[in-house]
């Protein structure tokens, strides 16, 4: 409080983050933190955390109302200060002279009341000041990022009240300080698993101090000295292996871990170290998995082995296996915010967005300092259809992690769902610039170009998307339509035919028959094949295609003469957009082509 009163917000943030780290369930800390963070989105986050813990707190509710996050409560709107005329002042003086001055007891009672009232007003003032003051910072930051942050505007019913107490804004040169950068990580997945006392040698103690400082060369030197004194201690060789692994000397690391196992064949940390080396340094996934399982077999309480197995399964898009490892860890009583985090990612792979969101929120609540939890939370909000929350979380995440191409793709999907195509296009372009191996980014940008009649650009993006994921029905179908518009009927026919392998519904088959028939009509000698496609369309359930298509098909079948090219493509239906959020899209199962 002293730091805030002295306008030393940096010091206030530091002290508040320490308090939050000690007790993240105390609403008061989050409320005060909302008054000293730099960005509106982080202010919303802090106030929402406070509201989640204590939904009856009036100051928290007022802050969320001012930010437009809660509906206006007429009982909480502060009326404008009443104007006092000169004659009213004189009358007040005369009135006061008729009463004796308050006693000393009354004075101290009033003082305590005023102090409490002053603290409440200070909270509201800081929250209000924090809401408006950062607008200058946000405007300045927008020049360095393609994502535009909208300027905050208070609800209309509060504008008059706020205008009654104007605030002088002072620009600041300090950039945004993210909450998770202010806090040290509350949890760590890799505590020092082995810390055996070695009273006979100072070298081991020196090696452990170097290990904590990540001074790997010193770790190796000191541990080799310790091994000369205590050659039968497996943990000495384990830490030597860890130092080599961090230096990316994989063969030396494996040798050291095996030396540890030679001293103790059941030494679980050595199996964990071997697994990490095989996985991260040598890309040998199966060997890594085997060693992680051996670590668990020798010590069921070794948390990190479960986490590594779950993460390995997630990287292989195996959500079911990842869930099994998370469940096993929890069954033996292990706790970590990474368990609900990995569970959320697994549930996203299994297309269970509601449960994924529940676990992502839990992971973020258990450790609000872990940046990746915001990434997964934004992804889960998007998958669950909560677009506003997804935009808030993803924008905060990308403000501090600017090189995550996949997250920019999710941001583009969120903007596009809201109908903000220009912002979506910028986000997809940024995603592709950062990572040109994303089929979804190319596909979604191509679809936007197609809708804008920029057909050549659409074709280019769709070709790139199919090159990365040839199993996308939407990409192949839209590319066929682009070829049709460009009067490239041969390639259009080929693309529509390739869609047969990826069709999953009557609606998909209706699109194939409808568009392929139009391409065939413009190819020499293919009139009868075109008629067969029109007939197949009419055999499908009528609810699987628009009524206009039925009229077109019947008209074409009634014509005897050779069809002439249709000058413009009838866009009766827009291909369904993909919302796949998995890291690597899973190939769709092939369906049997209809006769």
């Amino acid at each position: 409080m002293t730091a805030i009163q002295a306008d030393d917000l940096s010091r206030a943030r530091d002290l508040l983050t320490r308090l939050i780290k000690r007790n993240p369930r105390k609403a008061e800390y989050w409320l005060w933190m909302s008054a000293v963070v730099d960005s509106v989105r982080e202010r919303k986050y802090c106030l929402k955390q406070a509201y989640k813990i204590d939904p009856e707190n009036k100051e928290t509710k007022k802050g969320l109302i001012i930010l437009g996050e809660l509906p206006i409560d007429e009982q909480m709107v502060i009326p404008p200060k009443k104007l006092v005329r000169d004659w009213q002042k004189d009358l007040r003086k005369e009135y006061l002279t008729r009463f004796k001055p308050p006693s000393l007891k009354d004075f101290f009672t009033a003082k305590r009341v005023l102090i409490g009232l002053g603290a409440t007003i200070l909270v509201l003032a800081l929250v209000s000041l924090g809401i408006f003051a950062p607008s200058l910072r946000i405007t300045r930051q927008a020049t360095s990022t393609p994502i535009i942050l909208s300027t905050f505007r208070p609800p209309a019913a509060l504008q008059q009240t706020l205008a009654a107490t104007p605030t002088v804004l002072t620009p600041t040169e300090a950039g945004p300080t993210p909450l998770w950068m202010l806090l040290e990580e509350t949890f760590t997945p890799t505590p020092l698993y082995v810390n055996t006392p070695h009273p006979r040698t100072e070298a081991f103690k020196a090696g452990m101090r170097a290990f904590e400082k990540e001074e790997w060369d010193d770790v190796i030197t000191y541990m080799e000295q310790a091994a000369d004194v205590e050659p039968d201690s497996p943990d000495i060789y384990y830490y030597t292996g860890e130092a080599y692994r961090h230096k990316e000397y994989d063969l030396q690391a494996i040798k050291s871990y095996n030396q540890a196992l030679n001293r103790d064949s059941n030494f679980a940390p050595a199996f964990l170290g071997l697994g990490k080396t095989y996985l991260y340094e040598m890309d040998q996934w199966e060997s890594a998995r085997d060693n992680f399982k051996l670590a668990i077999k020798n010590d069921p309480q070794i948390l990190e082995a479960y986490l590594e197995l779950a993460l390995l399964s997630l990287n292989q898009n195996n959500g079911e296996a990842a869930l099994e490892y998370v469940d096993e860890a929890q069954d033996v009583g292990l706790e970590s915010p990474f368990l609900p985090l990995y569970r959320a990612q697994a549930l996203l792979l299994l297309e269970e967005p509601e449960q994924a969101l529940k676990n992502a929120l839990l992971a973020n609540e258990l450790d609000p300092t872990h940046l990746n939890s915001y990434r997964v939370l934004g992804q889960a909000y998007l998958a669950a259809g909560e677009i506003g929350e997804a935009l808030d979380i993803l924008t905060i995440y990308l403000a501090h992690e600017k090189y995550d191409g996949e997250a920019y793709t999710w941001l583009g999907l969120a903007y596009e769902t809201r109908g903000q195509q220009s912002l979506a296009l910028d986000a997809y372009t940024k995603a592709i610039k950062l990572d040109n191996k994303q089929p979804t980014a190319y596909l979604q940008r191509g679809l936007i170009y197609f809708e804008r009649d920029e057909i050549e650009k659409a074709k280019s993006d769709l070709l790139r998307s199919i090159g990365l994921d040839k199993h996308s029905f939407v990409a192949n179908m839209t590319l066929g339509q682009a070829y049709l518009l460009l009067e490239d009927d041969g390639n259009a026919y080929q693309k529509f035919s390739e869609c047969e392998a990826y069709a999953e519904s009557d609606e998909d088959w209706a699109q194939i028959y409808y568009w392929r028939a139009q391409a065939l009509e413009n190819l020499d000698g293919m009139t009868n094949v075109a008629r067969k496609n029109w007939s197949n369309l009419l055999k499908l359930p009528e609810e699987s295609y628009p009524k206009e298509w039925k009229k077109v098909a019947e008209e074409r079948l009634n014509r005897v003469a050779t069809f002439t090219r249709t000058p413009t493509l009838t866009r009766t239906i827009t291909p369904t957009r993909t919302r796949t959020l998995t890291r690597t899209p899973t190939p769709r199962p092939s369906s049997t082509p209809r006769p």
Side-chain angles (χ1 to χ4, degrees):
M1 300 304 100
T2 302
I4 291 175
Q5 291 171 355
D7 201 28
D8 188 355
L9 299 187
S10 177
R11 173 66 173 161
R13 281 195 297 269
D14 176 63
L15 293 169
L16 285 167
T17 53
R18 298 185 193 184
L19 290 170
I20 290 175
K21 179 181 177 182
R22 289 185 178 183
N23 186 3
R25 299 292 303 165
K26 193 171 179 64
E28 181 184 9
Y29 297 161
W30 288 105
L31 176 61
W32 282 101
M33 179 63 84
S34 73
V36 297
V37 293
D38 290 294
S39 71
V40 173
R41 293 185 184 275
E42 287 177 314
R43 187 160 298 106
K44 286 182 182 180
Y45 177 81
C46 292
L47 287 172
K48 287 179 180 179
Q49 291 294 107
Y51 183 73
K52 190 184 304 180
I53 299 168
D54 183 7
E56 300 303 321
N57 186 283
K58 292 183 178 180
E59 286 72 30
T60 302
K61 293 171 71 174
K62 287 177 182 177
L64 289 171
I65 289 172
I66 292 173
L67 285 167
E69 294 296 314
L70 286 179
I72 297 172
D73 184 345
E74 297 296 338
Q75 296 181 351
M76 299 184 66
V77 176
I78 304 172
K81 184 178 180 181
K82 185 177 180 180
L83 183 64
V84 180
R85 307 294 181 183
D86 290 340
W87 65 269
Q88 290 176 310
K89 295 179 181 178
D90 294 339
L91 183 63
R92 179 175 175 79
K93 290 180 181 179
E94 181 180 353
Y95 174 80
L96 290 175
T97 57
R98 298 182 182 182
F99 296 89
K100 71 175 184 177
S103 65
L104 192 62
K105 178 180 179 181
D106 294 334
F107 172 77
F108 284 111
T109 301
K111 182 176 179 181
R112 285 193 297 270
V113 172
L114 288 172
I115 290 174
L117 181 60
T120 301
I121 293 173
L122 179 59
V123 171
L124 289 175
L126 284 167
V127 170
S128 301
L129 178 60
I131 290 169
F132 296 105
S135 60
L136 296 179
R137 305 173 196 153
I138 292 173
T139 302
R140 185 180 67 254
Q141 295 154 16
T143 61
S144 61
T145 174
I147 304 303
I148 300 172
L149 299 178
S150 58
T151 305
F152 165 74
R153 295 184 182 276
L158 291 179
Q159 288 182 357
Q160 182 178 1
T161 301
L162 294 172
T165 55
T167 304
V168 179
L169 303 181
T170 305
T172 174
E173 296 302 320
T177 305
L179 183 60
W180 47 82
M181 294 297 287
L182 293 170
L183 292 162
E184 295 180 6
E185 290 212 11
T186 310
F187 297 90
T188 173
T190 56
L192 289 181
Y193 182 81
V194 183
N195 196 5
T196 307
H198 291 259
R200 291 186 294 166
T201 173
E202 181 61 31
F204 182 84
K205 296 178 183 178
M208 292 306 298
R209 289 193 293 268
F211 189 92
E212 292 174 357
K213 297 177 182 179
E214 300 183 359
E215 297 172 348
W216 307 123
D217 288 329
D218 289 343
V219 172
I220 294 169
T221 299
Y222 287 124
M223 290 301 171
E224 287 177 348
Q225 294 175 13
D228 291 337
V229 179
E230 300 181 70
D232 296 326
S233 297
D235 54 335
I236 293 176
Y237 300 97
Y238 164 71
Y239 283 116
T240 305
E242 286 289 274
Y244 278 125
R245 182 175 65 83
H246 283 288
K247 286 172 62 66
E248 299 183 5
Y249 292 179
D250 47 292
L251 295 179
Q252 292 93 323
I254 290 174
K255 179 181 177 181
S256 297
Y257 294 135
N258 284 326
Q259 286 178 314
L261 291 172
N262 289 336
R263 272 71 181 174
D264 182 354
S265 60
N266 299 318
F267 192 65
F271 289 113
L272 177 64
L274 283 169
K276 287 184 174 182
T277 306
Y278 284 126
L279 179 61
Y280 298 113
E281 309 302 333
M282 305 177 73
D283 204 27
Q284 297 182 18
W285 291 26
E286 292 305 318
S287 296
R289 181 182 285 107
D290 291 342
N291 278 278
F292 292 143
K293 289 181 177 180
L294 285 171
I296 294 172
K297 179 180 179 181
N298 287 280
D299 183 1
Q301 295 293 316
I302 188 165
L303 170 64
E304 196 176 355
Y306 295 100
L307 296 177
E308 291 290 350
L309 284 168
L311 190 58
L312 180 58
S313 300
L314 291 173
N315 286 330
Q316 294 179 317
N317 292 322
N318 190 340
E320 291 181 355
L323 283 179
E324 288 178 7
Y325 292 125
V326 170
D327 289 339
E328 287 178 15
Q330 292 182 328
D331 287 343
V332 296
L334 297 175
E335 296 181 358
S336 166
F338 288 90
L339 293 175
L341 184 67
Y342 292 166
R343 183 184 294 278
Q345 291 177 279
L347 290 167
L348 285 170
L349 285 174
L350 297 173
E351 298 183 1
E352 298 182 29
E354 299 298 332
Q355 289 299 314
L357 178 57
K358 180 180 178 181
N359 281 273
L361 286 167
L362 176 59
N364 186 257
E365 181 180 347
L366 289 173
D367 187 359
T369 70
H370 185 51
L371 185 55
N372 195 47
S373 71
Y374 292 84
R375 183 185 197 273
V376 176
L377 182 57
Q379 181 186 6
Y381 272 130
L382 180 60
E386 298 190 25
I387 307 304
E389 297 289 350
L391 281 172
D392 282 345
I393 295 297
L394 288 172
T395 303
I396 290 175
Y397 169 76
L398 288 168
H400 307 289
E401 179 51 73
K402 301 180 184 296
Y403 303 102
D404 189 336
E406 189 176 33
Y408 273 107
T409 298
W410 300 338
L411 186 69
L413 289 169
Y415 279 130
E416 197 173 355
T417 304
R418 279 197 164 184
Q420 298 173 286
Q421 276 199 350
S422 295
L423 292 177
L425 196 63
D426 290 341
Y428 293 140
T429 300
K430 180 72 172 179
I432 291 168
K433 183 178 180 181
L434 292 169
D435 179 6
N436 62 3
K437 303 296 183 184
Q438 294 191 79
T440 302
Y442 282 114
L443 171 59
Q444 298 302 130
R445 192 174 72 170
L447 291 172
I448 291 176
Y449 284 141
F450 186 85
E451 291 179 2
R452 292 184 173 188
D453 290 328
E454 299 181 52
I455 306 303
E456 287 291 349
K457 288 184 178 180
K459 183 182 80 170
S460 176
D461 275 357
L462 292 167
L463 282 169
R464 288 178 177 271
S465 178
I466 293 170
L468 295 166
D469 175 23
K470 67 179 182 180
H471 304 283
S472 170
F473 178 87
V474 175
N476 282 284
M477 174 57 64
T478 311
L479 181 58
Q481 293 177 348
Y483 281 132
L484 200 58
L485 282 170
L486 295 170
E487 300 186 6
D488 187 349
D489 301 304
N491 278 323
Y493 166 74
Q494 181 180 349
K495 277 297 159 191
F496 294 140
S497 297
E498 289 175 3
C499 287
E500 291 185 355
Y502 316 122
E504 299 178 342
S505 64
D506 288 335
E507 288 77 6
D508 290 346
W509 281 101
Q511 291 189 64
I512 292 172
Y513 294 140
Y514 181 79
W515 298 111
R516 185 166 61 187
Q518 296 188 55
L520 287 165
E521 286 177 353
N522 296 310
L523 295 174
D524 293 337
M526 302 299 289
T527 303
N528 290 333
V529 184
R531 292 174 63 83
K532 184 177 181 180
N533 277 267
W534 291 121
S535 298
N536 286 338
L537 174 64
L538 295 178
K539 292 177 183 178
L540 293 173
E542 291 190 5
E543 62 270 15
S544 63
Y545 55 86
K547 293 180 180 179
E548 291 79 4
W549 289 14
K550 181 179 180 180
K551 294 179 181 178
V552 173
E554 290 173 343
E555 176 189 344
R556 298 303 176 90
L557 287 171
N558 290 331
R559 294 176 60 181
V560 178
T562 303
F563 297 108
T564 57
R565 174 181 293 281
T566 304
T568 57
L569 183 66
T570 304
R571 298 185 196 170
T572 310
I573 187 171
T574 301
T576 304
R577 295 190 177 280
T578 179
R579 295 293 176 211
T580 303
L581 298 177
T582 52
R583 197 174 295 270
T584 304
T586 304
R588 299 185 179 187
S590 300
S591 54
T592 304
R594 295 177 182 270

